[in-house]
Amino acid sequence: MSGFKTHTGKAASLKRDHVDTDQIIPKQFLKKIDKAGYGEFLFYDWRYQSDGQENPDFELNQLNTKDSSILITGNNFGCGSSREHAPWALKDYGFQVIIAESFADIFFNNCVKNGILPIRLPKKEIQRLYSEESPDVISHLIVDLENQHVVNGSGEHFYFEFDPYWKKMLLNGWDEISVTLQYEDKIKRFETERIVN
Amino acid sequence: MGKTIIDKLWKNHVVAEEKNKPDLLYIDLHLIHEVTSPQAFAGLREKNRKVRRPDLCFATMDHNIPTADRFNIKDETSRLQVQTLEKNCEEFGIRLEGLDSLQQGIVHVIGPELGLTLPGKTIVCGDSHTSTHGAFGALAFGIGTSEVEHVLATQTLWQNKPKQMNVKIEGELGFGVTAKDVILWFIANYGTNAGTGYIIEFSGSAVRGFTMEERMTLCNMSIEAGAKASVIAPDEKTFSYIQGKPYAPKESEFNARCEAWKKLVSDNDAVFDKVIEINASDIEPMVTWGTNPSMCLPISGQIPAAESSLSIEEKQSIESALTYMGFQGNERLKDVDVQHVFIGSCTNSRLSDLVEASAVVEGEKVHPGVRAIVVPGSQSVKREAESLGIHKIFLHAGFEWRDSGCSMCLGMNDDIVPEGERCASTSNRNFAGRQGKGARTHLVSPIMAAAAAINGRFTDVRSIMQTKNLEVDRYVGI
Ligand code: SF4
């Protein structure tokens, strides 16, 4: 995986709370055995009508949001199932950053492990991100992981917290398993010396 | 300062502790199923890596499999997923309870049933309801597929220690109130975010009074309150449940293990980041009306209307839930008809669930407008129930009696609820589309599901129990 340093892109908004993983990628698409090609099924039930046509009312089907790479959303995003198909679908669709008021725990980890940057910002700041733009899309947003801030079109900076360990992993695009395998001695020692309960 | 049970479980598993890093935790048991594992095994193969401790892994197939004609998986992609798991387990030397196994079942039902789930263990699975195993005093949580791969390769995970919450449930539960109602009530009152960032310890006299199966129901749904995991301190009930199970410690070492397990309790002076106290007698039989588990009311309740709510967001969320669920607002729950009843899932498909529901069903008929199915949590549960004759009660009433699997909990197999129809379901998630596109799910306890099956609408099961003169005792589980 290549490292994540900064990203500049267009941001689409999905102003909903509690978007669960069943909505992000419905279960009928979990039957594949590889990681590729989930993007076309992202938000399937919202995105398409029952006749298979695009739903013209859905936020991400608007002309001005189509090539967004940043998703801005509400509270408790990614709640529900542990399915990693959710970040695979978001990434395959083209999203590299998700800004939300809060994330479900497993989903947050799943994002980081797939090179998607999940950013928590307070609601007020999320509202301010939009400043002078249309209410649904921000054409130019800069996301800087090194300095942990987001900069909007009017040059306003929004600082976000990020765990130092995951930051390092993301910045360098390290393969976590390779890192952990360097702890082999410690793992072995644990296995021989541990307290068994 | 004293330590909580969570502190103790955590500390016993730290492999490496470094500044500015999460802790590297050792994993004692890795449960695997067909849906979230194929890409993890593929990742290992790609990098030429081995499974570090195949002896600490255990696999079953549950999410995808048919419950009616189990060996005949019609859907090609489902079949491929099941075959892929078989192939992966064989190649990497992992035990698998496959479709033809007498011990096959839902991963969170068979772990405890086989004695794999033990106090003091760290347990993970690529499934969010792994929290179930916390009922035994284990630190158990769900993980994603990258983490599945990480555990396969290293038997460890990097984890930041969450905050800790003590949820004390004191007093006695009322007549006809179950562990399912307790956890639904908790989420209804404290929200789906209540546990975000926390591990919960459930304590208090009501919890001590619970059977192991009731404790599993409670811990199972703690994830729906946003918690990373939940745990209940092990006690004599835990030990006697475990004793004699196939993979439990053998007789010779069992007592010594129990002595060690007894230390897994929170010290009296342990401090939690947050404490919530609940009075068990406040709780009534609950029914969800909306599209997340916090949209939930006592059976006597009335569905909210959008205008009565406060903020714009709240109003919007109620409006969209009402629309999806086909309500105007202000309906009484007792007036709501159901077309499907599902008794199953890792929340409520164990023997006591089926026994309790069957007592309500006995001698009655399923309402003509209802299709009702019972899906035991495992083939062992199914056999035990059959040996008690419970299947006959259900079949005679007009229920379908199926083989084990996740089934209508998530509708990945053929068991789905058609668009616009309502299901009284003993599962754990009522998200839009969970049981099928446009399906309307109402979460309830097994006895409430049984009552809905008979009357074709939501009913206060206590009235049926009173009419039938059912002993209160019968409802504290077996
Ligand atoms: S029964 Fe439902 S919640 Fe439980 S493991 Fe299966 S799909 Fe997940």
Side-chain angles (χ1 to χ4, degrees):
Chain A
M1 207 156 57
S2 55
F4 188 115
K5 294 195 170 55
T6 60
H7 173 78
T8 304
K10 189 199 266 191
S13 77
L14 193 63
K15 289 185 180 151
R16 308 182 193 209
D17 291 335
H18 305 290
V19 173
D20 59 73
T21 51
D22 284 74
Q23 305 308 327
I24 299 174
I25 180 104
K27 67 211 156 230
Q28 63 267 37
F29 307 114
L30 308 185
K31 293 179 179 175
K32 290 166 30 125
I33 56 169
D34 51 18
K35 292 186 185 182
Y38 292 93
E40 58 177 304
F41 310 122
L42 180 72
F43 297 121
Y44 191 83
D45 289 344
W46 290 341
R47 204 161 131 205
Y48 303 102
Q49 298 170 338
S50 40
D51 60 0
Q53 297 293 310
E54 270 192 4
N55 169 9
D57 299 331
F58 180 53
E59 290 93 319
L60 301 187
N61 285 343
Q62 310 310 309
L63 261 187
N64 61 353
T65 60
K66 281 243 157 155
D67 46 355
S68 305
S69 56
I70 302 168
L71 183 69
I72 305 182
T73 182
N75 189 6
N76 202 20
F77 188 76
C79 59
S81 120
S82 67
R83 61 187 72 157
E84 203 157 312
H85 310 71
W88 295 335
L90 286 158
K91 187 153 190 189
D92 191 45
Y93 181 92
F95 288 119
Q96 299 187 41
V97 178
I98 302 171
I99 301 175
E101 288 164 47
S102 68
F103 293 92
D105 181 66
I106 304 177
F107 177 82
F108 185 92
N109 289 340
N110 283 343
C111 282
V112 173
K113 306 210 168 173
N114 287 282
I116 298 177
L117 179 63
I119 297 175
R120 294 187 192 94
L121 279 182
K123 191 183 189 113
K124 282 218 172 86
E125 300 207 359
I126 290 186
Q127 282 161 350
R128 268 190 26 230
L129 272 179
Y130 293 95
S131 54
E132 293 141 36
E133 299 238 4
S134 90
D136 300 320
V137 62
I138 305 170
S139 55
H140 190 80
L141 204 59
I142 302 167
V143 177
D144 180 342
L145 176 58
E146 182 79 63
N147 295 303
Q148 292 177 229
H149 62 218
V150 177
V151 188
N152 70 0
S154 355
E156 261 187 292
H157 285 54
F158 300 84
Y159 177 79
F160 59 88
E161 299 280 349
F162 210 80
D163 180 86
Y165 171 77
W166 295 121
K167 176 175 171 178
K168 201 154 132 199
M169 297 295 290
L170 266 174
L171 282 174
N172 294 295
W174 281 338
D175 167 36
E176 202 192 359
I177 296 179
S178 308
V179 173
T180 312
L181 287 173
Q182 293 165 14
Y183 286 76
E184 174 64 20
D185 288 353
K186 288 199 165 180
I187 300 173
K188 266 213 179 101
R189 195 173 330 131
F190 181 89
E191 284 173 330
T192 45
E193 293 173 7
R194 66 173 307 187
I195 320 153
V196 179
N197 246 307
Chain B
M1 197 172 72
K3 291 195 166 54
T4 67
I5 177 173
I6 299 156
D7 294 327
K8 295 178 188 181
L9 288 167
W10 194 275
K11 191 167 154 277
N12 286 350
H13 292 89
V14 175
V15 172
E17 213 172 0
E18 288 165 32
K19 227 180 144 208
N20 276 338
K21 261 193 173 185
D23 292 338
L24 188 62
L25 286 192
Y26 196 78
I27 303 302
D28 296 322
L29 174 64
H30 184 191
L31 300 166
I32 294 165
H33 65 85
E34 77 276 23
V35 177
T36 54
S37 66
Q39 294 85 354
F41 284 109
L44 290 185
R45 222 174 267 124
E46 219 170 86
K47 298 236 163 75
N48 222 346
R49 286 172 175 149
K50 293 197 310 256
V51 173
R52 191 172 199 289
R53 291 292 301 269
D55 57 319
L56 301 181
C57 300
F58 195 93
T60 189
M61 33 189 77
D62 51 7
H63 282 64
N64 249 322
I65 58 168
T67 55
D69 182 7
R70 67 188 339 224
F71 293 106
N72 183 10
I73 306 181
K74 292 193 206 86
D75 182 85
E76 212 173 296
T77 45
S78 296
R79 199 164 58 234
L80 179 63
Q81 222 169 39
V82 163
Q83 288 163 347
T84 305
L85 182 64
E86 280 168 354
K87 201 173 99 221
N88 285 333
C89 287
E90 197 180 318
E91 180 180 337
F92 291 96
I94 293 170
R95 285 172 296 180
L96 167 71
E97 300 298 340
L99 273 179
D100 52 355
S101 162
L102 290 175
Q103 296 179 326
Q104 177 275 343
I106 304 173
V107 64
H108 310 309
V109 175
I110 67 170
E113 196 171 80
L114 294 175
L116 290 162
T117 302
L118 296 178
K121 276 192 180 181
T122 39
I123 302 176
V124 296
C125 174
D127 187 280
S128 52
H129 292 94
T130 308
S131 58
T132 313
H133 308 264
F136 290 78
L139 180 60
F141 51 90
I143 55 177
T145 298
S146 298
E147 290 170 310
V148 170
E149 185 178 337
H150 191 276
V151 177
L152 287 172
T154 69
Q155 205 56 37
T156 62
L157 277 177
W158 294 98
Q159 292 288 315
N160 282 310
K161 192 172 175 188
K163 288 183 283 185
Q164 306 182 30
M165 185 191 297
N166 187 1
V167 177
K168 292 187 192 171
I169 312 170
E170 301 287 355
E172 277 194 33
L173 288 186
F175 174 64
V177 180
T178 68
K180 178 66 160 286
D181 302 304
V182 174
I183 190 66
L184 284 175
W185 187 94
F186 177 70
I187 300 167
N189 283 274
Y190 292 91
T192 51
N193 268 338
T196 306
Y198 287 90
I199 297 178
I200 295 175
E201 177 185 356
F202 287 112
S203 66
S205 58
V207 177
R208 297 261 72 85
F210 277 165
T211 62
M212 290 314 294
E213 299 199 346
E214 290 173 312
R215 292 179 190 181
M216 285 187 249
T217 300
L218 185 65
C219 289
N220 173 278
M221 282 191 70
S222 58
I223 179 81
E224 308 308 329
K228 165 101 182 169
S230 57
V231 45
I232 295 174
D235 58 13
E236 291 302 329
K237 280 187 192 164
T238 321
F239 309 148
S240 63
Y241 178 99
I242 293 167
Q243 193 162 25
K245 295 272 186 291
Y247 291 96
K250 294 288 159 270
E251 224 32 70
S252 52
E253 52 164 324
F254 190 77
N255 288 342
R257 294 293 291 280
C258 288
E259 286 313 307
W261 291 337
K262 281 181 191 159
K263 296 186 190 125
L264 293 171
V265 289
S266 293
D267 299 332
N268 286 334
D269 54 344
V271 180
F272 287 83
D273 299 287
K274 191 170 180 181
V275 178
I276 291 179
E277 293 187 31
I278 292 170
N279 188 349
S281 61
D282 290 345
I283 302 171
E284 284 184 70
M286 304 292 285
V287 182
T288 65
W289 61 266
T291 49
N292 74 54
S294 73
M295 294 172 158
C296 186
L297 290 164
I299 177 65
S300 55
Q302 189 172 334
I303 294 165
E307 57 272 13
S308 63
S309 53
L310 306 163
S311 67
I312 301 173
E313 285 89 0
E314 248 183 333
K315 203 173 153 197
Q316 274 171 352
S317 106
I318 289 178
E319 256 165 15
S320 78
L322 288 174
T323 310
Y324 182 84
M325 294 300 289
F327 292 126
Q328 310 289 322
N330 293 324
E331 290 93 336
R332 289 177 348 140
L333 275 172
K334 284 183 188 162
D335 294 334
V336 176
D337 291 345
V338 303
Q339 292 78 44
H340 301 263
V341 169
F342 169 59
I343 299 181
S345 91
C346 58
T347 314
N348 280 129
S349 64
R350 297 182 179 82
L351 190 61
S352 58
D353 298 314
L354 307 190
V355 169
E356 291 172 12
S358 74
V360 174
V361 168
E362 192 159 15
E364 312 282 343
K365 288 276 179 233
V366 170
H367 190 274
V370 174
R371 170 200 180 211
I373 70 171
V374 183
V375 183
S378 70
Q379 291 302 87
S380 309
V381 169
K382 185 179 185 198
R383 277 192 309 279
E384 280 176 67
E386 288 176 354
S387 72
L388 296 173
I390 288 188
H391 63 309
K392 287 196 189 132
I393 299 176
F394 283 117
L395 285 167
H396 189 252
F399 276 84
E400 294 172 43
W401 178 253
R402 299 289 189 86
D403 280 315
S404 63
C406 295
S407 178
M408 214 179 257
C409 173
L410 90 166
M412 260 186 99
N413 65 359
D414 298 332
D415 307 336
I416 54 167
V417 176
E419 193 159 356
E421 299 193 8
R422 253 176 236 299
C423 181
S425 177
T426 66
S427 55
N428 43 54
R429 286 200 172 125
N430 52 345
F431 297 155
R434 173 82 178 176
Q435 296 190 296
K437 189 172 193 269
R440 294 168 175 162
T441 303
H442 296 265
L443 305 177
V444 287
S445 74
I447 51 175
M448 283 289 286
I454 297 164
N455 286 354
R457 61 175 59 190
F458 290 109
T459 304
D460 191 335
V461 67
R462 292 172 294 193
S463 60
I464 299 185
M465 287 163 68
Q466 265 149 8
T467 324
K468 296 181 77 157
N469 231 341
L470 288 175
E471 289 290 323
V472 183
D473 274 2
R474 197 146 183 192
Y475 294 90
V476 295
I478 50 171

